[in-house]
Amino acid sequence: MRQFFINSLDKIITVFLALGCLGVLLSGLSMMMQNGFLAGLMVLIGGGLYIVLMGGFCYLFIGIHENTRRTAEAVERLAARG
């Protein structure tokens, strides 16, 4: 059951990152049309960095969980042998 929630979280993060990328793109283009090219470019760069960092950290935490789970299973198998 726990793995179901972890997998669901992974899918939810993917959806939010896709929506975030779309939002940053639309915001940057809108800013370019209203306030000039440089302001829109700054929104695109800043928003893109934010999406990459937040998405990276979310996937990093899920990866740490997966590695910890696999390590615990390996230790249990070794303990059962000896």
Side-chain angles (χ1 to χ4, degrees), residues 13-31 40 43-44 47-52:
I13 289 170
T14 302
V15 168
F16 277 119
L17 286 176
L19 290 174
C21 287
L22 183 63
V24 166
L25 181 64
L26 293 176
S27 298
L29 292 175
S30 174
M31 185 71 90
V43 168
L44 287 173
L49 285 174
Y50 177 80
I51 293 291
V52 167

Side-chain angles (χ1 to χ4, degrees), residues 47-70:
L49 285 174
Y50 177 80
I51 293 291
V52 167
L53 286 173
M54 291 302 112
F57 282 126
C58 289
Y59 285 126
L60 175 69
F61 294 141
I62 290 175
I64 289 171
H65 174 269
E66 287 293 321
N67 288 338
T68 303
R69 183 185 54 81
R70 287 191 348 229

